[in-house]
C-alpha cells in the first residue's frame, strides 16, 4: 500500500509543534527555522491543514499571508485585522463552525495612542477571548507573508510584538531562513517568549518517495527512465549542496547515461548545470567553465530539436554565462551572451526576461563607454515595461526602480526631464533617496530572506 509522503510530513510537523508547545508553555512566538523555499511552502501547508477540519491539534489556527512592504509597513497590523474581520464574518456564516463555537462576536478595535503592532496584539488577544481559547487551546496566529519587500521594517514590526503584553492564550508563528537567521539571538534574549523550531521534514525523501510510487505505477520504459532520472537529480542536488564532488560526479554519470539513451538534451544540459554550480561553489574555475560550456552545448541542442520550453531554459543558461563575465567586470565578453538571450526571450515571447536583458545590455554597454547603444537598449526595455503594465503596476514592482536608476545614467537633453518626470510620477519625488536608504539598511542588517 502506497503512503502519502506529504501527509506523513504534515503529521510529523504536528507532532513536533505539539511537543514544542508542551515544553515551552510560556512561549508567545514560535518560529520555524527552515533552509529553503520548499520548506517555507510546507510550513504554509502545515498551517492550512490545521485550519481545516482534519486537524488533530487542539489549537485554533488563523493565517496572515498578505504581503509586507515599506509603503504599508505602518498599517500592516491594521490591514491584517481587516482581513481577519472578513474571515470571522465567513466563519459566522458557516453552520458547521458555529455549531461548535457559536457566533464569534469580534471586531477589531484601534487606539491611536498605540502603535500598529501594539493594536495588532491587542486585537489578537481579544480574538482569542472571543474564541474562548485557553492555555491548553491557544490561538495560533501564523504570520507568513506571501512577500516581504522590506525585511528591515518587518523585523522592527515583529520586534515590537515582543514588547507587548501577549496573553497566554495567544501564540504567534513565524518562519525564518536557517542561513540568514533574521531573528537571531531572540531565542537567547527572550527564552521564555521566543522559541525556534527546526522542522523535521526530509523533503528530499518525500520527493523520492513520490517518484518511486510513480515509477511503480508506470509501465512505459521511457517514462520509467525519466522518473529514474528525476530521482537521480534529487540525489545530485543533495550532493551539490553538500559539496560532495565524488558523489556528484558518480550520480551525474548515471543521469547523463539515461538522458543520452533517449536523446533528452534538455536533461543532459540540466545535469551539467548542476555540476557547474558545484564547481563554482568549490571555486574550481576551470571545471566550472567546462560545465557551463557543456550546459550551453546541450541547451542549444535541446532548442534546435524543438523540445518544449527549451528556448527559455537556454536563454537562462546564456544569462548565467554572461553573469560570470559581469561579476569579473569583463563587460565586453558578457554582451554577446546577453544579446543572444535577449533574442531568445523575444522569440519565445518572454517579456520579463527581455526587459531584464535590456537592462543588463544597457549596463554593459555603458560600462564599456558606449552610452548610445546603452540608451537604445534601455529605451527598448522601458517601452516594453510601459506597454505591458499600468502606472500602478509599475509602481508596485520595486525592482523596476533599479531599471530606472540605470536608465538615468545615460539620459541626455530633453529626454532626461521627460523620463525623470515619469519616474517621479510612478514612485514619487524622493524615490531615489528611498531606494538608496532601503539598500543601505538591508545591506547593513541582513541579506534577503528567500520565501517565494
Amino acid at each position: 500500500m502506497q503512503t502519502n509522503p506529504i501527509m506523513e510530513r504534515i503529521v510529523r510537523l504536528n507532532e513536533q509543534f505539539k511537543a514544542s508547545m508542551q515544553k515551552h508553555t510560556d512561549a508567545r512566538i514560535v518560529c520555524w527555522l527552515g533552509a529553503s523555499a520548499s520548506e517555507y511552502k510546507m510550513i504554509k501547508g502545515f498551517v492550512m491543514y490545521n485550519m481545516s477540519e482534519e486537524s488533530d491539534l487542539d489549537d485554533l489556527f488563523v493565517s496572515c499571508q498578505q504581503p509586507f512592504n515599506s509603503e504599508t509597513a505602518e498599517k500592516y497590523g491594521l490591514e491584517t485585522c481587516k482581513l481577519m474581520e472578513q474571515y470571522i464574518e465567513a466563519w459566522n456564516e458557516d453552520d458547521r463552525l458555529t455549531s461548535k463555537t457559536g457566533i464569534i462576536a469580534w471586531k477589531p478595535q484601534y487606539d491611536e495612542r498605540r502603535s500598529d503592532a501594539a493594536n495588532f496584539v491587542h486585537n489578537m488577544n481579544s480574538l482569542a477571548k472571543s474564541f474562548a481559547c485557553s492555555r491548553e487551546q491557544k490561538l495560533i496566529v501564523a504570520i507568513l507573508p506571501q512577500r516581504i519587500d522590506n525585511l528591515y521594517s518587518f523585523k522592527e514590526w515583529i520586534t515590537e510584538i515582543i514588547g507587548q503584553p501577549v496573553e497566554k492564550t495567544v501564540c504567534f508563528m513565524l518562519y525564518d531562513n536557517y542561513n540568514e537567521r533574521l531573528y537571531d539571538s531572540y531565542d537567547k534574549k527572550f527564552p521564555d517568549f521566543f522559541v525556534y523550531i527546526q522542522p523535521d521534514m526530509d523533503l528530499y525523501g518525500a520527493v523520492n518517495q513520490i517518484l518511486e510510487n510513480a515509477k511503480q505505477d508506470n509501465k512505459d520504459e521511457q517514462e520509467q527512465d525519466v522518473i529514474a532520472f528525476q530521482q537521480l537529480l534529487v540525489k545530485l542536488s543533495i550532493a551539490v549542496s553538500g559539496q560532495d564532488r565524488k558523489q556528484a560526479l558518480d550520480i551525474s554519470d548515471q543521469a547523463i547515461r539515461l538522458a543520452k539513451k533517449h536523446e533528452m538534451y534538455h536533461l543532459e544540459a540540466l545535469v551539467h548545470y548542476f555540476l557547474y554550480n558545484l564547481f563554482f561553489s568549490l571555486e574550481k574555475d576551470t571545471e566550472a567553465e567546462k560545465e557551463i560550456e557543456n550546459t550551453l552545448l546541450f541547451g542549444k541542442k535541446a532548442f534546435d530539436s524543438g523540445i518544449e520550453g527549451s528556448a527559455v531554459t537556454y536563454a537562462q543558461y546564456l544569462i548565467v554565462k554572461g553573469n560570470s563575465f559581469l561579476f569579473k567586470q569583463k563587460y565586453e565578453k558578457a554582451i554577446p551572451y546577453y544579446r543572444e538571450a535577449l533574442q531568445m526571450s523575444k522569440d519565445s515571447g518572454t517579456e520579463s526576461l527581455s526587459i531584464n536583458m535590456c537592462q543588463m545590455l544597457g549596463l554593459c554597454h555603458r560600462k564599456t563607454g558606449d552610452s548610445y547603444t546603452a540608451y537604445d537598449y534601455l529605451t527598448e526595455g522601458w517601452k516594453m515595461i510601459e506597454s505591458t503594465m499600468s502606472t500602478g503596476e509599475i509602481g508596485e514592482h520595486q525592482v523596476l526602480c533599479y531599471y530606472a536608476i540605470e536608465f538615468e545614467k545615460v539620459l541626455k537633453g530633453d529626454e532626461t526631464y521627460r523620463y525623470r518626470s515619469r519616474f517621479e510620477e510612478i514612485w514619487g519625488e524622493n524615490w531615489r533617496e528611498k531606494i538608496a536608504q532601503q539598500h543601505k539598511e538591508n545591506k547593513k542588517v541582513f541579506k534577503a530572506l528567500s520565501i517565494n
Side-chain angles (χ1 to χ4, degrees), residues 23-244:
K23 181 178 179 181
H24 304 281
T25 55
D26 292 328
R28 301 294 188 275
I29 296 180
V30 294
C31 184
W32 295 100
L33 187 60
S36 68
S38 297
E39 290 191 349
Y40 181 69
K41 291 175 182 177
M42 181 64 83
I43 294 300
K44 280 191 171 184
F46 158 80
V47 172
M48 297 306 294
Y49 174 78
N50 284 298
M51 290 177 67
S52 72
E53 294 181 352
E54 284 75 20
S55 174
D56 59 359
L57 293 178
D58 293 331
D59 300 305
L60 179 65
F61 283 71
V62 292
S63 179
C64 311
Q65 298 190 28
Q66 67 276 15
F68 183 101
N69 55 61
S70 55
E71 287 75 20
T72 60
E74 294 180 359
K75 297 181 179 180
Y76 186 73
L78 171 65
E79 295 302 320
T80 299
C81 286
K82 287 181 180 178
L83 293 173
M84 197 71 70
E85 185 176 9
Q86 295 175 16
Y87 173 74
I88 296 303
E89 289 174 356
W91 181 289
N92 287 333
E93 293 175 0
D94 192 324
D95 293 338
R96 294 174 303 170
L97 298 175
T98 55
S99 65
K100 300 176 182 178
T101 64
I103 297 296
I104 304 302
W106 176 84
K107 286 190 177 296
Q109 303 293 324
Y110 302 95
D111 186 336
E112 293 182 356
R113 293 171 297 180
R114 298 192 190 105
S115 67
D116 181 67
N119 270 314
F120 181 70
V121 171
H122 174 79
N123 281 305
M124 293 304 101
N125 285 340
S126 68
L127 180 59
K129 185 177 181 180
S130 297
F131 272 115
C133 291
S134 64
R135 294 193 64 168
E136 289 71 36
Q137 185 190 39
K138 294 179 183 290
L139 175 67
I140 309 299
V141 183
I143 306 174
L144 304 172
Q146 296 173 1
R147 186 180 68 255
I148 301 176
D149 290 345
N150 190 319
L151 286 170
Y152 185 81
S153 295
F154 185 68
K155 184 178 181 180
E156 283 188 329
W157 192 81
I158 294 298
T159 302
E160 194 168 349
I161 287 179
I162 295 178
Q164 301 302 318
V166 182
E167 295 291 340
K168 294 179 180 180
T169 55
V170 176
C171 182
F172 296 99
M173 179 182 289
L174 307 173
Y175 179 88
D176 198 357
N177 183 286
Y178 187 83
N179 294 323
E180 305 303 339
R181 295 291 291 253
L182 185 61
Y183 311 109
D184 193 27
S185 78
Y186 282 11
D187 55 334
K188 297 180 180 63
K189 289 181 180 178
F190 315 101
D192 296 329
F193 196 98
F194 186 101
V195 175
Y196 268 124
I197 310 176
Q198 296 188 35
D200 177 20
M201 286 190 273
D202 183 24
L203 289 181
Y204 287 115
V207 173
N208 188 65
Q209 191 174 342
I210 291 170
L211 292 171
E212 187 61 35
N213 291 344
K215 189 163 64 175
Q216 291 175 9
D217 291 340
N218 201 311
K219 304 304 179 184
D220 182 82
E221 181 184 357
Q222 182 169 344
E223 288 298 321
Q224 284 190 334
D225 284 346
V226 169
I227 295 170
F229 176 90
Q230 292 171 325
Q231 289 179 298
L232 288 169
L233 206 62
V234 171
K235 294 178 182 178
L236 180 59
S237 177
I238 297 171
V240 169
S241 63
Q243 296 187 327
D244 190 329

Side-chain angles (χ1 to χ4, degrees), residues 252-266:
S252 63
D253 284 344
Q254 298 175 56
I256 287 174
R257 281 198 295 273
L258 282 176
K260 285 185 178 297
K261 179 179 176 182
H262 301 285
E263 295 186 344
M264 296 183 292
Y265 301 120
H266 59 304

Side-chain angles (χ1 to χ4, degrees), residues 301-350:
K301 280 189 175 184
F303 171 70
D304 291 340
S305 300
I307 294 175
E308 185 178 356
S310 58
V312 174
T313 306
Y314 179 53
Q316 291 169 339
Y317 293 148
L318 288 165
I319 294 169
V320 172
K321 178 68 174 180
N323 288 347
S324 69
F325 288 119
L326 180 72
F327 296 148
K328 297 175 184 177
Q329 299 183 350
K330 296 180 179 181
Y331 304 108
E332 289 185 358
K333 291 188 175 182
I335 287 172
Y337 294 97
Y338 290 146
R339 190 164 53 227
E340 187 177 357
L342 174 60
Q343 188 57 54
M344 296 294 294
S345 63
K346 286 181 177 179
D347 292 343
S348 62
T350 315

